[in-house]
Amino acid sequence: MDKFRMMAQILQSNQESFMNGICGVMALASAQLYTSFEFNCPCIPEYNYSYGISMLVIPPIWFFLLGFVLNNNISILAEEWKRPVGQRRKDPAVIRYMCVSISQRSLIAPAVWISVTLMDGKSFLCAYSMDLDMLEFGKNVSGHGLSQEELLRTLAKIPCKHIYDGQHILSREAATRYICCISQAFGWLFLLIITIAAFLIRAIRPCFTQATFLKTKYWSHYVDTERKMFDETCTEHAKSFAKICIKQYFEGVSGEIQSLHDHSRGDDSDDEDNKPATEEDTLMGVRRQDTMNKVLWDWHTCKPPLSLRKYGDASTEQNGDCSMNANKNQDKNIGDKTELNEGQNGFKCSYVNPGLDIGQSNLDKGYENASFSTEQNGFTNRHSNASTGLNGFMNGGVSSPCNIQRKAWAVYYSKV
Amino acid sequence: MDRLKLVLQYFQSNSESISNGICIILSLISVKLYTSFDFNCPCLPQYNKMYALGVMFVPPIILFLLGVLVNRHTGVLMEEWVRPLGKRTKNPAVVKFLLSSMLQRSLLAPMVWILMTLLDGKCFICAFSMNVDPKYFTGIPNSTGIELIKIMAKVPCKEDVIFKNSSFRKAVSRYVRCYSQAIGWSILLFFIFLGAVGRVLKPCFNHATFLQTRYWSNYLDIEQKLFDETCVLHARDFARKCVVQFFESMREDVTVRMPLSSAFRPSTIHNEYEEEEEECLHGITRQDQVDHLLQTWYECKPELDVTRMAYKPKVCITWEDINGKALFSEV
């Protein structure tokens, strides 16, 4: 258990480094894509500029959007943004933080592409070869005898080594060198600017809003973790639900009652750590299709408040009336303590069967005994109906109507 | 307990080595960047110097800023510097120590770049070929004034037709490169000498204070890491309990109240696993409690005194019979 705990801890704390890893992979992919891409300047006056500039600008936009797509947190962000308020306030700072962190990661691959393109110089050469100022090279502007249009056409051929025919007018190597030099200067300047911006944001930020930053970082990580936990819990619940449903069906068909407790294979070890949770535990009392649907619906429309009951405390929660957008319910716990005296710690709400002699050690699990649950069913309703199998154990209309009315029934066991 | 020891060992052994590793990786990146960079001297009198000196000094600034950014100590340093006093006094020596160690590590990659440019020589040739007096070399072309300067500016570029038949260009290049390499090696030697002298002489001054400041700066680093880890664990348990609570709030059980039998005794069996889980929450179970905790962590850091937890009294039970003889004792 310790090993698993440590592994889980490392994985969780390294979720950031996992995202950083993806971001690094995308940056490398961007550099590799550039080197394997065959740059093909058209060398025609009308198209040079558009080709050159689009090669500089369009792939970064594509990489930026790809970064958003590959980032898992984008769906978490959207969900947190769009959910109804429910019992939990929305914190705009958390949403802003998540948005900023996703954007920061997605900006790295485009920045790599732009800087590699500028350092290489081909796209600048293609786009700006026609704008060369001949005076820079000390050449006489009108000494070549060509019209303006023909001059432009000749200059446009500079990027293409094999078709350039203006060597006598202007040395191709000199022009290429000049434009590449300007392109590289722009590239280094771009890198310097983004590094300074990143430095200001990360290194100077602790001077301002450090406490708020700690909070938003914690809650944004919490939102992510909570979603994962919810998915895991739903999966486990579905598994148990399915198992019990099928068992019920078989029982209904065969007419015999089988033991529910699969794990009692005579292995009565006292090793509490390894005691597996029974399916009933995993169900956590949600046993019907409409209840499960309500769980899933309310998870989005009415998120629960961030306030935990103490373990074993069977006090009532505030009535979560979602239609009122109740923010104030978040941390009130009305403890119905008058009925709970010293017998209550360690008990959850569970089934009760007055005829049953359950040993002390099973009290907090409640209903581990097969015969107990049968009698339970006999106690409330005739249950052998296969068609009602999906509705779980507690048939009948005893469940309260659909609001989250809390029932905190004190549980008493008696030896009769 | 030994879990905690293992974790602490891991942090302590690796905090410095992680920073060193990152510093070396940055230097390797700097080398790779230089070798893959296509140096393109413009060979024009007005732009040569600007380009070459730009290539020699702008990337080091970028590498330095990157080195500061990726260093963990930057965050620790800034937080320690700007935090309110709280219950813990501030020690300026610790801040200075962190700053100096961070600067030392961040300066390695820029120095590697500058040394590479000097030892390679291309930047120097590009920048200073015009400053060479051509009289000392044979085969000078017959030009004067501006034309001569332009020709000298073209020395770094091999392809130009002017130099096709003469060894003039090669001679000038060799000369400037020789200067550049000499400067490069002297700078390297100077820094190595400085480093050696510094390390040898450091224990002679304030060694005890140095040990203290090193300990406390390491402590700050570990404390921040552990705080983040604890927050992560707490968030995980909070989330799990919140989800389970949510499911349970939908449960449709009906339980029936029965009168409590006198033969009944409360069960105190508490699943050990769940008890350990509760430990991770440390009693912080609500949103406002978490917010208050994080706010206080920044605004009012706790004092450096763990006597209370280290010496928590433990309740020991002794069973005695009616004569006062101890039957069982945990003492």
Side-chain angles (χ1 to χ4, degrees), chain A residues 184 210 218 291 308 311 350, chain B residues 38 51 79 234 252 255 270:
Chain A
Q184 284 178 349
Q210 175 69 355
Y218 179 89
T291 320
L308 300 178
Y311 175 71
S350 71
Chain B
D38 188 17
Y51 180 81
E79 273 192 40
H234 183 273
E252 347 111 351
T255 52
H270 208 172

Side-chain angles (χ1 to χ4, degrees), chain A residues 2 6, chain B residues 1-10:
Chain A
D2 292 355
M6 270 186 86
Chain B
M1 234 344 108
D2 48 358
R3 240 187 308 153
L4 210 55
K5 263 187 232 160
L6 265 172
V7 168
L8 264 177
Q9 254 175 337
Y10 163 80

Side-chain angles (χ1 to χ4, degrees), chain A residues 242-279:
Chain A
K243 241 189 221 179
I244 294 177
C245 192
I246 291 171
K247 214 172 262 299
Q248 241 179 264
Y249 172 68
F250 271 78
E251 283 167 21
V253 168
S254 75
E256 286 175 20
I257 308 301
Q258 303 290 331
S259 164
L260 268 182
H261 195 85
D262 281 357
H263 305 287
S264 61
R265 295 191 186 100
D267 183 11
D268 282 355
S269 58
D270 287 347
D271 191 358
E272 300 239 345
D273 272 349
N274 290 341
K275 207 176 196 179
T278 60
E279 270 98 31

